[in-house]
Amino acid sequence: MEIIYLVTPVLTWMVVGPIKFLISSVRYRRWAFDLVGNGGFPSNHSAVVSSMATLIALREGMGHPAFGVAVTLAFIVMIDANSLRQHVGRHAVTLNRLHDGKEDYVILRERMGHTRFEIAGGILTGIGMGFLIYTVLGGF
């Protein structure tokens, strides 16, 4: 395996995470440590899969089977981030309302999933990271 295929998702994750944290901190006007995780702008997951698809397209070509697999995986991740995880968040809201003050109830995280805007931000960030990593480390 060429190291660039391992470095790309790791670097993308490491760059997008702090960006998301800073954007959330500015948006909510406080340090957003409790918001780290699922949800927020840009989507980490969308950025990672988009960076890999971009890297594969640049190195192997869009006709290569690996590009088709990467794009398919990207769509699955993005559909999951938008629909399934948002429904999980809505369920958490309802369940949290039902706990009725019980002391032993653990409050469920309600902010799950991504909006289409957050996913689009992740896609653009991932494409940018794919191009950047290909330009800087393309020979590895």
Side-chain angles (χ1 to χ4, degrees):
M1 176 177 92
E2 296 181 49
I3 193 74
I4 194 169
Y5 292 107
L6 179 61
V7 168
T8 298
V10 172
L11 281 178
T12 301
W13 193 271
M14 290 173 60
V15 167
V16 175
I19 290 170
K20 184 193 309 196
F21 172 75
L22 290 174
I23 289 172
S24 293
S25 294
V26 168
R27 181 177 178 200
Y28 294 102
R29 298 177 191 196
R30 63 180 176 81
W31 293 117
F33 292 108
D34 59 326
L35 299 175
V36 174
N38 300 323
F41 181 87
S43 164
N44 252 352
H45 293 86
S46 298
V48 168
V49 293
S50 296
S51 69
M52 285 302 296
T54 301
L55 181 68
I56 292 168
L58 293 171
R59 294 196 84 208
E60 312 297 337
M62 294 175 91
H64 195 277
F67 178 71
V69 171
V71 170
T72 302
L73 175 64
F75 277 120
I76 291 168
V77 167
M78 291 174 213
I79 289 168
D80 174 70
N82 180 253
S83 61
L84 177 67
R85 288 194 297 147
Q86 282 201 1
H87 288 294
V88 169
R90 289 184 198 118
H91 287 154
V93 169
T94 302
L95 290 171
N96 285 339
R97 287 184 190 147
L98 295 174
H99 85 296
D100 199 26
K102 294 178 185 152
E103 292 180 25
D104 62 341
Y105 182 80
V106 176
I107 299 295
L108 300 173
R109 183 183 178 126
E110 296 177 1
R111 177 68 169 105
M112 299 289 289
H114 291 283
T115 64
R116 289 186 178 120
F117 180 73
E118 293 167 344
I119 292 170
I123 292 168
L124 293 175
T125 306
I127 290 170
M129 286 297 297
F131 270 103
L132 179 66
I133 293 168
Y134 174 75
T135 302
V136 175
L137 301 175
F140 290 95

